[in-house]
Amino acid sequence: PPARAALSSDGRQKCEAGYVIKSSGRACCEYAGVIGAPRGCSPGFFTLDDISVDGSVGFTCEQCGAGHYCPGAKSLATSNLVRVTCGSFKTTSHDYGKSELDCLIGPGYGWAAGDGSQPCPQGFYNPGYNTRLCTRCPGGLTTAAAGTSSLLSCLAPVGSYYFRGQAYACARGTYKATIANADCTECPLGVTTPSTGHGSLSSCSVLLPGYAMAGGATLGTTDGVECPPNTYRAGSVNITGAPIPCTPCGNNMVTLPNTTRATGPEACVAPPGYGWSPGASGTAGIATLCPRGWYNPGYNLEPCVACGNGSMSTDAPGSTSPDDCYTPAGHGNRRDPGGMLFGYPCPNNTYGRANNTYGLVTVECTRCLDYTHTAGAGSTSAFQCVTDVGYGWENGLVAQCDYGYYNPGNNHNPCSYCGDGYNTSSAAVSISGEVGSDSQSDCKFDFGYHNGTSNNIEPCLRGTYKDLIGNTHCTMCPAGTSTSLTLAAISKADWWALGG
């Protein structure tokens, strides 16, 4: 016969008299009439009616409902009354649970038998509606709280940042105080953390090398101050609120131009024009002004460098370049056995340049012309080359003064002419003239000339002669003879006999 049932608006079913619930629990079928055979609600349903009496009176089967399971009238009619709670934090996916196998754990909880289920601990999750334990977040991620139901709730923990599904420790000098997929926050300027992976502002507690900090600093909020030029601060140091100063280089030492945040005494160097030497242990050393004749370009840890030896020099102390070195005017130089330039005054009868010659270049002295000399060493021009005694300038050259000429020397003059009728001789009377005379006093009456009237030079008159150089008088020819020359006869060879 066809199923007979009345369906209520809330989904409950009541079989008519003479019918029982089908095994599906969702329809009625004719009672078989077998005495003692079970009849009543199917699994997934239960009833509150007394069905121990004849079924002809009819009864109502209720849906078991979410979070429960109902075994139904499988063996005894009284089992129709059974409706079992799944347990703490459990539910079912439908309203017709038949056994504990239909019970599922709720979102954010881990499966356990009976009432043993608990919320997923922090760092675990479970989407629920399954019979699994909680799952640990991957890649070092965690959750903001216990009882999380989604992988999307797995976030980077405090002190870490998120990158491609992984948690990475915040770098030194940064921190992150929240559980979130956010970037780490940098510590104040010049401040860092003791290590990586820190999660609080107060972890910014270490002052970096090269920075100073005033007293009363607040952890995590006070910036460090860059050590200014010519100072340094070595090593990291814990911030305690006490002043943390920078250390001056000292001893004339400096840092490189525009350099701040120097981190140790090794950053201190000698400035230009100063030479470096070691100081006490742990110090930057000592810089000393380069003396005259020495130089250092500076910004290094080198001593001053000598321009050379001898007269090599500089204009003043504190020179910075080999181009400041010079060979003095009137000096030359040469390489000594050590390869250094050796400056020296140009020796007698040579001359050097008129001005200082700058740079480490070779400078030679120039020889004076022949028959000239200098007054001493260190001459600075050719003009200081003057004639030797008895020599004079002639057409750009120097030549010995000829007969009848003289020059005292030590000048740039030509030889002076004694005058007509004069010759030169250093002797009072001489039978021959001399070249290279050096004084006007060497100018003597020449052969055939004498001191005439009015102290004027006059030639010997006819009938007289003079065969000497000197201030002697003309000599009369012997009687009966005269001279062949009208004037200035110079020897007996000029005699001739008079007629008759």
Side-chain angles (χ1 to χ4, degrees):
R4 301 294 298 277
L7 183 64
S8 67
S9 61
D10 59 2
R12 296 183 296 170
Q13 301 178 72
K14 183 176 182 180
C15 294
E16 297 179 4
Y19 293 84
V20 297
I21 302 298
K22 293 182 68 173
S23 61
S24 66
R26 300 190 182 191
C28 299
C29 63
E30 186 176 2
Y31 177 51
V34 179
I35 301 301
R39 57 181 181 158
C41 293
S42 299
F45 289 80
F46 75 103
T47 183
L48 298 177
D49 295 333
D50 185 4
I51 59 171
S52 59
V53 297
D54 189 281
S56 62
V57 299
F59 55 89
T60 300
C61 290
E62 305 279 354
Q63 298 174 3
C64 198
H68 299 78
Y69 64 91
C70 299
K74 292 183 176 180
S75 59
L76 298 172
T78 55
S79 64
N80 285 292
L81 302 176
V82 176
R83 182 174 183 257
V84 182
T85 300
C86 285
S88 300
F89 314 119
K90 296 177 182 176
T91 188
T92 55
S93 60
H94 52 75
D95 292 331
Y96 308 103
K98 300 175 182 179
S99 70
E100 190 176 12
L101 296 177
D102 290 318
C103 294
L104 305 173
I105 193 66
Y109 294 84
W111 174 269
D115 290 329
S117 296
Q118 296 294 326
C120 290
Q122 190 175 11
F124 291 77
Y125 70 95
N126 193 346
Y129 303 107
N130 57 46
T131 57
R132 297 195 298 268
L133 300 176
C134 297
T135 302
R136 182 186 295 274
C137 289
L141 302 176
T142 189
T143 57
T148 300
S149 62
S150 172
L151 174 62
L152 297 178
S153 298
C154 292
L155 308 172
V158 171
S160 297
Y161 66 94
Y162 178 89
F163 183 72
R164 295 183 180 179
Q166 297 282 329
Y168 294 91
C170 290
R172 191 170 184 224
T174 66
Y175 67 94
K176 187 165 73 68
T178 59
I179 298 174
N181 289 345
D183 292 332
C184 301
T185 302
E186 290 188 357
C187 290
L189 179 68
V191 179
T192 189
T193 54
S195 58
T196 61
H198 281 273
S200 69
L201 184 66
S202 62
S203 298
C204 297
S205 60
V206 178
L207 186 65
L208 290 169
Y211 286 85
M213 186 166 282
T218 302
L219 290 181
T221 59
T222 303
D223 286 336
V225 179
E226 294 182 354
C227 288
N230 307 331
T231 67
Y232 66 91
R233 199 187 64 73
S236 298
V237 63
N238 291 329
I239 299 170
T240 63
I244 304 174
C246 299
T247 302
C249 287
N251 296 321
N252 299 321
M253 301 288 283
V254 298
T255 55
L256 294 177
N258 303 317
T259 295
T260 59
R261 295 180 295 161
T263 59
E266 64 277 0
C268 299
V269 293
Y274 285 73
W276 178 85
S277 60
S281 177
T283 67
I286 300 172
T288 305
L289 186 69
C290 293
R292 287 192 64 177
W294 298 70
Y295 68 92
N296 190 355
Y299 301 121
N300 57 37
L301 297 177
E302 302 293 335
C304 298
V305 179
C307 293
N309 296 313
S311 61
M312 300 298 295
S313 189
T314 56
D315 287 330
S319 294
T320 62
S321 167
D323 293 335
D324 295 333
C325 299
Y326 67 81
T327 303
H331 287 233
N333 63 41
R334 63 177 181 269
R335 296 285 176 183
D336 63 20
M340 298 285 287
L341 283 177
F342 179 86
Y344 57 90
C346 289
N348 288 343
N349 307 330
T350 67
Y351 62 92
R353 298 179 183 180
N355 299 305
N356 296 337
T357 302
Y358 287 87
L360 299 180
V361 296
T362 300
V363 179
E364 296 180 346
C365 297
T366 303
R367 289 184 59 82
C368 293
L369 292 176
D370 289 343
Y371 313 119
T372 64
H373 64 276
T374 59
S379 297
T380 59
S381 73
F383 190 77
Q384 292 177 274
C385 296
V386 293
T387 56
D388 292 343
V389 172
Y391 286 79
W393 289 90
E394 184 176 354
N395 298 324
L397 298 176
V398 178
Q400 191 174 39
C401 293
D402 204 352
Y403 297 106
Y405 289 81
Y406 68 92
N407 191 347
N410 298 315
N411 58 43
H412 294 91
N413 301 327
C415 295
S416 297
Y417 182 48
C418 291
D420 291 342
Y422 286 92
N423 206 330
T424 48
S425 173
S426 59
V429 176
S430 174
I431 62 173
S432 63
E434 296 176 4
V435 296
S437 293
D438 62 356
S439 173
Q440 188 176 14
S441 63
D442 289 341
C443 295
K444 307 288 182 12
F445 296 135
D446 200 2
F447 300 107
Y449 287 85
H450 74 123
N451 188 10
T453 60
S454 302
N455 280 331
N456 291 324
I457 186 170
E458 294 179 356
C460 292
L461 297 177
R462 188 171 186 178
T464 65
Y465 69 95
K466 182 169 168 281
D467 57 1
L468 295 174
I469 297 174
N471 295 332
T472 59
H473 295 287
C474 298
T475 302
M476 296 292 293
C477 293
T481 63
S482 186
T483 55
S484 60
L485 298 177
T486 303
L487 297 171
I490 64 173
S491 72
K492 294 178 180 180
D494 293 327
W495 297 349
W496 60 286
L498 292 175

